[in-house]
């Protein structure tokens, strides 16, 4: 039995597993290969909804209900599919011998898909990691929600929440926290006011986004009362203050860090060609290459999603780390593995090479309540229509990873909860 091992159950990893399973079962050598997905968690997290989970009233949805809306067990996603899930911690990847060393076992691979994502980058700033809350997992969202709720319960009349980083995560979270103020006043503490501030190191929030989108988002943030500090970088953080490089001091009660990500240590240590931030450099076919010609690599190794870096030949810049890119890359890596299996087993005379072609993916930025800004091709839309489009995109993703009945059930349940959470205006 030859193993096709996928490391990581995020957007790219799940799509690679599902695509492989669908295509492998059509080959007569299907029983000679096993698809194994390795992840330390037993579930796939839909990260675009974490900001919603972090700002949903405890009276509206408890921990279990919220988790069912953003985290989906692999056992359910892969039910009746020939995909084995291993819940374990990855210790080391031996690319020369073709072995993945886990905490409790080890797995040999013939094909390896590295889809380990990225982790929060604190840039070695003094006091930042110790004092800031990240927003990468469901538990991060719950910890943030509980921190705000607890302060309100304790009778705080003014709660200062600072978001480090004005990318999409920072903007989505800042605006939703500000809109949440009214619910907290009604349910917990009538006198509690939340001041929300975004600190962005670039000259504008949403660096790299279309200027029309940025202007609409900034207008919306101003309307709902979110303060923005531009062109300022954090120098260090204490338990009560953020000190900027300009020496300005900003007091805070809760600090959330959404200022960047970096490669996970596992991928940084792999002897593969990497870019300066530690992500694995790949070509169009998504196959990895050794960092030096004399290094031996066992089998074939592919990288997708945030673990990978691919340069867009049109812009000469790395492809943005977005879910849609990871999903497409996962499918392409899977297709190229299937083609190589056909080649190795003499199943086809014509072997295809699938190539990842970067594109300008549509994107949506929710900005508090039932309001969002979306860019679709050359068109920019905003307001309720963009918010509705966001819901359609979410449903489309659920349909791609689970059966239609389950997808619609989860989506409608989430819509019921979050539509109460998102005020109109």
């Amino acid at each position: 039995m030859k193993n096709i091992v996928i490391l990581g159950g995020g957007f790219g990893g799940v799509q690679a597993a599902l695509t492989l399973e669908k295509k492998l079962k059509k080959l007569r050598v299907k029983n000679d290969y096993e698809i194994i997905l390795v992840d330390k968690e037993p579930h796939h997290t839909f990260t675009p909804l974490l900001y919603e989970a972090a700002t949903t009233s405890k009276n509206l949805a408890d921990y279990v209900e919220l988790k069912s809306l953003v985290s989906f067990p692999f056992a359910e996603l892969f039910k009746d599919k020939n995909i084995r899930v291993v819940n374990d911690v990855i210790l080391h990847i031996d690319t020369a011998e073709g072995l993945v060393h886990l905490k409790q076992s080890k797995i040999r691979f013939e094909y390896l898909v590295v889809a380990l994502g990225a982790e929060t980058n604190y840039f070695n700033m003094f006091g930042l990691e110790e004092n800031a809350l990240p927003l990468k997992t469901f538990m991060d969202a719950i910890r943030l929600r509980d921190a705000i709720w607890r302060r309100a319960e304790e009778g705080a009349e003014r709660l200062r929440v600072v978001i480090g980083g004005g990318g999409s995560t920072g903007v989505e979270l800042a605006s939703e926290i500000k809109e949440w103020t009214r619910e907290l006043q009604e349910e917990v503490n009538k006198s509690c006011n939340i001041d929300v501030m975004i600190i962005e190191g670039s000259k504008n929030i949403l660096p790299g986004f279309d200027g029309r989108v940025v202007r609409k988002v900034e207008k919306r943030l101003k309307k709902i009362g979110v303060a923005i500090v531009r062109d300022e970088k954090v120098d260090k953080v204490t338990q009560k203050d953020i000190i900027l490089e300009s020496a300005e001091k900003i007091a805070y009660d809760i600090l959330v860090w959404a200022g960047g990500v970096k490669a996970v240590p596992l991928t940084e240590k792999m002897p593969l060609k990497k870019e300066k931030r530690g992500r694995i450099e790949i070509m169009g076919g998504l196959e990895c290459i050794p960092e030096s010609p004399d290094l031996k690599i066992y089998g074939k190794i592919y990288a997708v999603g945030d673990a990978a870096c691919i340069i867009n030949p049109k812009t000469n810049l790395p492809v943005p780390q977005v879910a849609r890119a990871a999903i497409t890359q996962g499918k392409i890596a899977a297709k190229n593995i299937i083609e190589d299996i056909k080649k190795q087993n003499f199943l086809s005379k014509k072997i295809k090479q699938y190539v990842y072609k970067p594109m300008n993916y549509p994107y949506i930025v929710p900005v508090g309540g039932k309001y969002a800004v979306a860019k679709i091709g050359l068109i920019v839309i905003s307001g309720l229509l963009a918010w509705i489009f966001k819901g359609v995109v979410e449903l489309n993703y659920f349909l791609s990873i689970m059966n239609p009945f389950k997808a619609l059930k989860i989506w409608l349940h989430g819509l019921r909860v979050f539509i109460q959470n998102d005020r109109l205006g």
Side-chain angles (χ1 to χ4, degrees):
M1 180 74 74
K2 297 178 180 179
N3 295 329
I4 306 171
V5 179
I6 302 162
L7 304 181
F11 292 106
V14 166
Q15 287 296 332
L18 290 172
T19 304
L20 279 164
E21 199 274 343
K22 182 179 179 180
K23 293 187 173 295
L24 186 61
K25 65 185 179 184
K26 296 177 182 178
L27 304 181
R28 60 178 173 81
V29 294
K30 61 183 178 182
N31 295 327
D32 297 338
Y33 294 85
E34 183 176 26
I35 302 166
I36 304 170
L37 186 142
V38 182
D39 198 293
K40 64 181 179 180
E41 302 292 344
H43 53 257
H44 168 65
T45 299
F46 186 62
T47 52
L49 284 180
L50 289 179
Y51 80 96
E52 291 270 26
T55 56
T56 297
S57 165
K58 285 186 175 183
N59 297 331
L60 189 58
D62 61 18
Y63 169 90
V64 174
E65 186 174 11
L66 270 182
K67 189 172 183 179
S68 71
L69 300 177
V70 299
S71 295
F72 314 121
F74 292 124
E76 293 182 14
L77 292 182
F78 301 147
K79 186 179 180 181
D80 300 323
K81 296 186 184 299
N82 292 318
I83 300 170
R84 179 159 67 95
V85 177
V86 175
N87 290 131
D88 205 345
V89 176
I90 304 166
L91 301 178
H92 173 63
I93 304 164
D94 188 337
T95 56
E97 296 298 325
L99 284 172
V100 178
H101 294 264
L102 307 176
K103 194 172 183 179
Q104 299 181 34
S105 63
K106 58 185 178 181
I107 302 173
R108 181 169 294 281
F109 65 84
E110 194 73 23
Y111 297 95
L112 182 70
V113 180
V114 181
L116 291 168
E119 64 181 23
T120 302
N121 191 350
Y122 296 99
F123 299 98
N124 296 317
M125 284 184 270
F126 179 84
L128 181 58
E129 186 172 359
E130 296 83 354
N131 294 292
L133 295 170
L135 189 63
K136 290 287 289 179
T137 68
F138 173 71
M139 286 310 302
D140 289 340
I142 293 300
R143 279 188 282 267
L144 175 56
R145 180 180 79 159
D146 290 350
I148 295 174
W149 191 275
R150 184 170 58 251
R151 293 296 183 101
E153 281 186 326
E154 290 170 352
E157 293 187 1
R158 184 188 176 204
L159 186 57
R160 297 161 299 186
V161 179
V162 177
I163 315 291
S168 57
T169 299
V171 166
E172 292 165 7
L173 184 60
S175 54
E176 204 63 35
I177 289 174
K178 189 64 181 178
E179 288 289 280
W180 192 28
T181 303
R182 286 172 283 179
E183 285 184 43
L184 285 172
Q185 289 171 340
E186 291 172 5
E187 299 176 8
V188 185
N189 181 351
K190 291 181 180 180
S191 60
C192 181
N193 288 294
I194 305 180
D195 294 336
V196 183
M197 174 185 288
I198 296 172
I199 300 176
E200 170 53 45
S202 302
K203 291 183 179 180
N204 292 299
I205 59 169
L206 301 173
F209 282 58
D210 187 285
R212 294 169 295 170
V213 172
V214 175
R215 288 189 291 273
K216 285 181 178 291
V217 169
E218 286 185 337
K219 184 178 179 180
R220 170 66 176 174
L221 290 173
K222 183 178 180 180
K223 179 181 178 182
I224 63 177
V226 174
I228 303 173
V229 175
R230 300 175 181 82
D231 207 14
E232 286 278 12
K233 291 181 172 63
V234 175
D235 181 35
K236 57 185 177 181
V237 177
T238 68
Q239 289 184 345
K240 295 181 179 180
D241 298 298
I242 300 161
I243 295 89
L244 305 179
E245 288 184 355
S246 64
E248 182 183 351
K249 187 182 290 187
I250 297 174
Y252 73 92
D253 296 302
I254 294 173
L255 171 62
V256 183
W257 184 249
V261 295
K262 63 178 180 178
V264 298
L266 273 170
T267 55
E268 286 187 306
K269 293 175 183 177
M270 294 178 76
L272 304 171
K273 189 176 180 182
K274 293 181 283 289
E275 49 90 63
K276 60 183 180 181
R277 292 186 180 180
R279 290 191 295 161
I280 301 167
E281 283 192 5
I282 50 176
M283 304 304 288
L286 308 182
E287 190 173 350
C288 306
I289 54 177
E291 59 186 359
S292 63
D294 59 319
L295 284 175
K296 173 191 171 187
I297 288 183
Y298 184 88
K300 286 185 178 291
I301 303 175
Y302 299 81
V304 302
D306 289 354
C309 177
I310 186 166
I311 303 298
N312 186 333
K314 292 182 180 179
T315 63
N316 206 31
L317 295 171
V319 172
Q321 293 169 277
V322 294
R324 188 68 252 174
I327 291 166
T328 305
Q329 290 166 9
K331 291 178 180 179
I332 288 175
K335 289 178 181 179
N336 281 331
I337 290 172
I338 293 296
E339 290 300 310
D340 194 71
I341 289 173
K342 290 179 183 178
K343 178 182 177 182
Q344 298 300 325
N345 292 277
F346 308 102
L347 300 179
S348 177
K349 293 181 179 179
K350 292 185 70 175
I351 303 300
K352 298 177 183 177
Q353 169 73 8
Y354 292 90
V355 175
Y356 173 70
K357 296 178 181 178
M359 62 174 288
N360 292 320
Y361 295 102
Y363 57 80
I364 310 160
V365 184
V367 203
K370 298 181 181 69
Y371 184 101
V373 181
K375 183 174 183 290
I376 310 160
L378 298 175
I379 301 171
V380 173
I381 59 174
S382 61
L384 182 60
L385 182 61
W387 183 84
I388 293 171
F389 178 61
K390 167 182 169 286
V392 173
V393 170
E394 289 165 0
L395 175 59
N396 184 60
Y397 178 69
F398 294 162
L399 288 167
S400 75
I401 64 170
M402 57 185 82
N403 70 65
F405 176 77
K406 181 76 172 177
L408 193 58
K409 182 181 177 182
I410 289 174
W411 183 76
L412 287 173
H413 186 186
L415 189 63
R416 181 185 63 79
V417 171
F418 297 137
I419 206 168
Q420 295 177 69
N421 189 46
D422 290 337
R423 295 172 179 269
L424 186 62

